[in-house]
């Protein structure tokens, strides 16, 4: 029997204390269907949560089968929640991308039942709620009433003594509400059901007992236990205890740390931590852990979506297998001779390591076929890919050349990495490009691509980034719009429109400001100087108005346009090599207009963009299309064996 003795619950809300429950005395029969009625805010959910062990009472006692819970440990509560209680909520909390059967099976993962038994029991529970024929459907393919029945099956599958339902029909129409009530009534024959509802008619018609609460106190109970019934329940408790049917232990313990981490989930810091954690261990594990504790469903979806948006699945042209390399680095080099263990012997590492580096298996992916596969799948609204994917982005091996005029009126190549390299060269005399080349010649060409594929390249210094396009040719993906607020202007809408991306504090770093032409070179020189010589640096607290930002002038130059035919030599030259040439390119470049300024909104824990200026995929298309038409490319294609810049034949590439 379940008994509440003088249960009080206080919530501290800032300075004030809310007395949510003000002393509740209640006894429940083993098998009955109890409805709880009362106005919003009177303490119904609080009471249900305390009964279910989701929340702790402040005063009084909750007596479970003759046992006081006053000195229950976390482990006891875990056992109670996992084995004695099933929860049903107004929002069904199903995992959308899993089938109905998987959703129900999941509730059994913690109870230490074998996989085959899990499946069998989940099937049985679904049959009990009349869904035996819908096992492989996804929640999205079901009506609200059906989803609530799945939730009931999930609550039932552990065969709990008590089912707690908080407004289970709150989101359903009358007809489907009735179906759900019929099921609850049926299952109340051999267990206790406590249901909070706003619908007195349903309560009247289906439940066996109605309890009314007002302002944290019990005001009415249609069928309290008689003294004789109470004695009978007590006797049954005793019999159970002597029969040794004690509380079962959960096979897996959720310690305090886990409940703490759940509490942290709803703080921003907790979410960010979780997101990066999810990124590192793979999101699936997280989803599983969270889905077991009910009520986190929407949360899981957002986390998955956000994690995938900042760590998207990428498929690259070449794919390198690092496993051999990893193995040697992990020191699992195998013994290469047989000997007794009576002295110290040598095993090889140097050779293995170098050999692994030399022989890394690289395979080429057929991206062309893959792309056409993706395109057809995405057009088919029934396909799994269509349903699972938020957006697809194709990256091409293309250098977007963007120039801008700096505040001191010089034309600069708007690229942080390039400018940073120049700075380092100038101030420290270190040539970063030469270092990269050197490391490539030591470790082979693979080193750089390996670094970048492992996310260690200069990607954090990327200034220009393509926006994830939406479906059906829309320039901006909905997920982006969800993650970012437009603080000024509007999203770009055409190939020659771009948007500035701020961080959550409306800031851009100084290197970026320099690359955008907003910070004079002199200032950056001073910063470099101070840093190199260990001097202090004052923050000059500069700021720019949104209007100024949107008036910035960027020109993109097609890579192919940089090369000009020189009549006198009959060769092509690079216009960027001379100031006049650069000026010519700038004047004739495609003007890019900043249409707006965006900033990740507060609800986004893992924003998608890492760059500071973002352009639409239409610009990429434009550059690709127009590069095809260039003179230099045509000329080079026409004379495939001669380098059009030097007039010399190409080195034999073999
Ligand atoms: P009901 O389910 O009947 O609508 P609740 O049990 O949710 O009511 O809430 C009862 C009272 O306790 C309300 O005044 C509510 O504001 C307060 N309350 C509930 N949960 C908390 C909480 N975590 N912190 C502070 N106050 C709370
Ligand atoms: Mg409530």
């Amino acid at each position: 029997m379940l008994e509440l003795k003088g249960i009080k619950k206080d919530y501290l809300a800032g300075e004030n204390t809310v007395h949510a429950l003000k002393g509740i005395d209640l006894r429940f029969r083993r098998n009955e269907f109890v409805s709880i009625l009362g106005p919003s805010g009177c303490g119904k959910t609080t009471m249900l949560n305390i009964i279910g062990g989701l929340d702790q009472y402040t005063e009084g006692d909750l007596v479970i089968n003759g046992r006081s819970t006053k000195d229950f440990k976390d482990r006891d509560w875990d056992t109670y929640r996992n084995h004695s209680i099933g929860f049903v909520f107004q929002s069904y909390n199903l995992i959308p991308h899993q089938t109905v059967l998987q959703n129900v099976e999941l509730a059994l993962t913690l109870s230490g039942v074998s996989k085959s038994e899990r499946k069998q029991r989940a099937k049985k529970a679904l049959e009990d709620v009349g869904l035996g024929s819908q096992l492989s459907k996804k929640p999205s393919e079901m009506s609200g009433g059906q989803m609530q029945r799945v939730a009931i099956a999930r609550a039932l599958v552990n065969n709990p003594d008590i089912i707690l339902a908080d407004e289970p029909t709150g989101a359903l129409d009358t007809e489907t509400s009735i179906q759900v009530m019929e099921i609850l009534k049926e299952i109340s024959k051999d267990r206790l059901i406590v249901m909070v509802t706003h619908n007195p008619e349903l309560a009247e018609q289906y439940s066996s007992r109605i309890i009314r609460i007002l302002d944290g106190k019990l005001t009415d109970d249609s069928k309290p236990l008689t003294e004789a019934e109470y004695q009978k329940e007590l006797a049954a408790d005793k019999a159970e205890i002597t029969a040794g049917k004690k509380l079962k232990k959960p096979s897996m313990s959720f310690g305090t740390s886990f409940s703490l981490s759940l509490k942290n989930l709803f703080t921003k810091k907790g979410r960010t931590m979780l997101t990066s954690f999810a990124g590192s261990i793979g999101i699936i594990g997280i989803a599983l852990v969270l889905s077991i504790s009910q009520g986190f469903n929407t949360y899981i979806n957002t986390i998955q979506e956000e994690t995938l948006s900042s760590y998207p699945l990428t498929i690259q042209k070449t794919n390198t297998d690092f496993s051999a390399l990893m193995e040697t680095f992990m020191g699992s080099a195998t013994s290469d001779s047989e000997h007794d263990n009576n002295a110290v012997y040598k095993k090889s590492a140097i050779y293995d390591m170098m050999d692994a580096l030399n022989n890394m298996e690289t395979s080429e992916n057929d991206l062309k076929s893959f792309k056409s596969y993706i395109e057809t799948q995405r057009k088919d609204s029934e396909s799994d890919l269509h349903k699972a994917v938020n957006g697809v982005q194709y990256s091409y091996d293309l250098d977007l050349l963007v120039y801008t005029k700096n505040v001191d009126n010089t034309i600069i190549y708007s690229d942080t990495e390039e400018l940073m390299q120049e700075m380092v060269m100038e101030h420290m005399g270190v040539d970063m490009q030469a270092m990269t080349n050197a490391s490539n010649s030591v470790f082979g060409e693979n080193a750089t691509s390996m670094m970048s594929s492992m996310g260690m390249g200069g990607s954090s210094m990327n200034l220009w980034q393509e926006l994830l396009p939406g479906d059906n040719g829309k320039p901006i993906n909905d997920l982006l719009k969800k993650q970012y607020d437009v603080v000024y202007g509007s999203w770009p809408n055409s190939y020659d429109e771009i948007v500035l991306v701020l961080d959550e504090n409306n800031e851009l770093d100084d290197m970026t400001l320099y690359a955008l032409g907003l910070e004079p070179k002199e200032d950056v020189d001073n910063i470099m100087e101070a840093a190199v010589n260990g001097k202090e640096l004052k923050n000059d607290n500069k700021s720019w108005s949104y209007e100024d930002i949107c008036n910035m002038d960027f020109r993109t130059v097609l890579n192919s346009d940089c090369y000009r035919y020189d009549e006198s030599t009959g060769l092509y030259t690079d216009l960027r090599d001379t100031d006049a040439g650069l000026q010519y390119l700038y004047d004739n470049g495609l003007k890019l207009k900043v249409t707006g300024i965006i900033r990740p909104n507060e609800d986004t824990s893992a924003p998608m963009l890492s760059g500071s200026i973002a352009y639409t995929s239409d610009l990429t298309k434009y550059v690709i299309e127009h590069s095809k038409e260039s003179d230099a490319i045509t000329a080079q294609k026409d004379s495939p064996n001669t380098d059009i810049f030097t007039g010399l034949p190409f080195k034999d590439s073999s």
Side-chain angles (χ1 to χ4, degrees), residues 604-618:
T604 305
S605 39
M608 201 188 298
L609 299 170
S610 59
S612 297
I613 285 271
Y615 52 93
T616 63
S617 57
D618 290 338

Side-chain angles (χ1 to χ4, degrees), residues 467 476 480-481 484-486 489-493 497 499 595-596 598:
L467 293 160
I476 313 291
L480 263 171
K481 291 195 174 169
Y484 287 85
D485 291 335
V486 177
S490 57
W491 287 97
N493 201 18
E497 295 183 341
V499 68
T595 59
I598 59 174

Side-chain angles (χ1 to χ4, degrees), residues 186-406:
E186 178 64 30
I187 60 182
S188 72
K189 282 179 186 156
D190 48 8
R191 52 173 57 79
L192 168 63
I193 303 228
V194 185
M195 174 183 79
V196 168
T197 179
H198 270 136
N199 189 327
E201 289 85 43
L202 286 183
E204 206 70 60
Q205 201 178 343
Y206 289 94
S207 50
S208 56
R209 176 180 176 191
I210 296 178
I211 287 167
R212 284 172 204 275
I213 300 186
L214 190 65
D215 200 15
K217 280 182 286 206
L218 212 73
T219 54
D220 191 39
D221 185 346
S222 72
K223 200 179 161 196
L225 275 72
T226 61
E227 188 55 30
E229 276 178 315
Y230 180 52
Q231 292 306 333
K232 214 175 105 192
E233 292 283 344
L234 281 183
D237 284 343
K238 276 220 183 78
E240 250 178 45
I241 290 171
T242 44
K245 195 190 159 199
K246 287 191 233 110
L247 285 175
K248 291 168 259 171
K249 294 274 180 228
S251 46
M252 202 198 270
S253 160
F254 278 169
T256 325
S257 58
F258 183 67
S259 39
L260 278 178
S261 70
L262 283 186
K263 279 179 203 140
N264 279 335
L265 275 184
F266 290 104
T267 65
K268 174 94 179 166
K269 199 171 147 216
R271 276 184 293 157
T272 317
M273 201 187 70
L274 193 83
T275 314
S276 42
F277 181 51
S280 62
I281 66 161
I283 49 167
I284 311 305
I286 285 284
L288 185 73
V289 170
L290 288 183
S291 57
I292 292 155
S293 52
Q294 311 80 350
F296 289 101
N297 203 23
T298 24
Y299 181 67
I300 295 166
N301 286 335
T302 343
I303 279 288
Q304 285 189 335
E305 199 172 72
E306 291 196 347
T307 317
L308 276 176
S309 73
S310 49
Y311 303 92
L313 296 176
T314 48
I315 291 136
Q316 286 168 320
K317 190 165 130 219
T318 51
N319 164 42
T320 310
D321 181 4
F322 296 114
S323 50
L325 191 64
M326 289 297 182
E327 251 169 54
T328 39
F329 273 119
M330 304 299 257
S332 56
T334 43
S335 166
D336 28 34
S337 60
E338 282 196 26
H339 51 72
D340 291 330
N341 290 349
N342 55 356
V344 178
Y345 296 88
K346 182 177 86 174
K347 69 176 178 182
S348 86
I350 302 174
Y351 181 88
D352 288 1
M353 222 180 273
M354 287 301 144
D355 187 50
L357 263 175
N358 265 339
N359 295 312
M360 270 194 295
E361 285 276 331
T362 307
S363 56
E364 294 277 323
N365 288 319
D366 179 1
L367 286 187
K368 202 167 169 187
S369 321
F370 188 63
K371 185 175 175 208
S372 64
Y373 167 77
I374 289 191
E375 311 257 85
T376 26
Q377 290 285 304
R378 291 204 80 211
K379 280 190 199 118
D380 173 7
S381 59
E382 287 303 302
S383 76
D384 286 348
L385 193 77
H386 181 94
K387 289 178 202 154
V389 166
N390 263 320
V392 175
Q393 190 163 27
Y394 304 102
S395 352
Y396 299 90
D397 211 356
L398 125 141
D399 267 333
L400 189 65
L401 293 178
V402 182
Y403 292 88
T404 187
K405 274 217 170 104
N406 201 348

Side-chain angles (χ1 to χ4, degrees), residues 5-7 47 52 62 111 176-177 189 192 246 296 370 461 513 559 569 581 629:
K5 286 182 171 174
I7 290 279
M47 185 166 103
L62 176 73
S111 48
T176 34
S177 293
K189 282 179 186 156
L192 168 63
K246 287 191 233 110
F296 289 101
F370 188 63
M461 298 227 287
L513 286 164
N559 221 313
T569 58
E629 301 160 4

Side-chain angles (χ1 to χ4, degrees), residues 80-93:
Y80 172 61
R81 274 192 299 264
N82 287 334
H83 290 283
S84 306
I85 304 283
F87 295 94
V88 178
F89 298 92
Q90 177 179 342
S91 53
Y92 325 109
N93 297 325

